[in-house]
Each structure stands twice: as C-alpha cells, then as structure tokens.
Amino acid sequence: MGKIKLNNIRVHAWHGCLKEESIIGSDYRVDLEVHADLSVPSKTDKLSDTVDYVHLNTIIKEEMDIKSKLLEHVAKRILDRIFMEIPKIKSAEISVSKINPPIGGDVESVSVTLSAKNE
C-alpha cells in the first residue's frame, strides 16, 4: 500500500450559507491524501498502473466549482466521485479550507476534514 498526496490546491469558489458568498466567492485550499496499491507502478513505471494525480486535481476543481452551502457537502462529493472514477483508491482523506471566512473575527481559515474507504 502507498499514498499519494495533493497539497495546498488553491481554488476560488462560491460555497457558504451567506448570499454574499455565493456572489463574491472565497478562496479555498484543498488537501487530499489517497491510499492505493502502488507496488505495480513502482515496478512498471506506467501511468496507467497508478493513480493519476492530474485526474484527482481535475475532480477537485470541478466539484469545487459546484456551489454548496457546507464544506462538508463539497468534501463528501469529492470523495464520492474519486471512489466512483478511480477504483484503485482504497481510502482517502480530504480537507477543505475556507481562507479568511466571514465569521466576524480575524481567522486565517476554517477547515473540514473527511475520511472514507472505498467499499
């Protein structure tokens, strides 16, 4: 078993419960860690034998582009799609962070982290 990590994916998206958030949007950071059997690609050196992190990044960007009220919802959608499209992945953990959230204080970010197994 091995892991692939995508760190600090930066996107601008329109998630939130406030009307202004769906109009102006906010900056987000996404961190993803997936676990898969990497023994074959470590020997073959073939992209087709591994988990393509370009595909993972595309899923994240496309799902972040769909408005959600809650970070929990968008994180779950990303995990569901990853498992549906990339069956080689056995488990994953994702953190979605809203940078400078509108919560009436000086807060760098708020984050939601979800973990799941591909069943």
Side-chain angles (χ1 to χ4, degrees), residues 3-56:
K3 66 176 122 175
I4 295 174
K5 296 169 80 172
L6 281 74
N7 301 308
N8 200 22
I9 300 166
R10 294 174 299 278
V11 295
H12 189 83
W14 297 267
H15 308 302
C17 294
L18 300 176
K19 182 179 177 184
E20 296 79 17
E21 292 176 296
S22 67
I23 297 169
I24 299 168
S26 299
D27 291 323
Y28 293 83
R29 185 185 78 231
V30 179
D31 297 294
L32 176 69
E33 180 176 305
V34 299
H35 296 95
D37 182 356
L38 301 180
S39 62
V40 173
S42 68
K43 294 173 188 168
T44 65
D45 198 28
K46 292 182 182 177
L47 180 59
S48 60
D49 290 334
T50 194
V51 174
D52 184 354
Y53 50 80
V54 173
H55 189 176
L56 292 170

Side-chain angles (χ1 to χ4, degrees), residues 6 19-20 35 45 63 70 79 88-91 110:
L6 281 74
K19 182 179 177 184
E20 296 79 17
H35 296 95
D45 198 28
E63 291 300 321
L70 302 177
L79 288 177
K88 290 177 183 170
I89 295 175
K90 303 301 180 202
S91 64
V110 295

Side-chain angles (χ1 to χ4, degrees), residues 35-98:
H35 296 95
D37 182 356
L38 301 180
S39 62
V40 173
S42 68
K43 294 173 188 168
T44 65
D45 198 28
K46 292 182 182 177
L47 180 59
S48 60
D49 290 334
T50 194
V51 174
D52 184 354
Y53 50 80
V54 173
H55 189 176
L56 292 170
N57 189 54
T58 299
I59 290 170
I60 290 167
K61 287 183 174 183
E62 288 175 358
E63 291 300 321
M64 287 295 291
D65 207 30
I66 300 169
K67 291 180 184 180
S68 289
K69 291 180 182 172
L70 302 177
L71 298 180
E72 295 89 330
H73 187 255
V74 70
K76 176 77 166 78
R77 277 202 333 265
I78 293 168
L79 288 177
D80 289 347
R81 187 162 161 206
I82 285 170
F83 291 141
M84 182 179 66
E85 293 184 19
I86 311 171
K88 290 177 183 170
I89 295 175
K90 303 301 180 202
S91 64
E93 181 173 283
I94 188 165
S95 292
V96 179
S97 303
K98 182 182 286 192

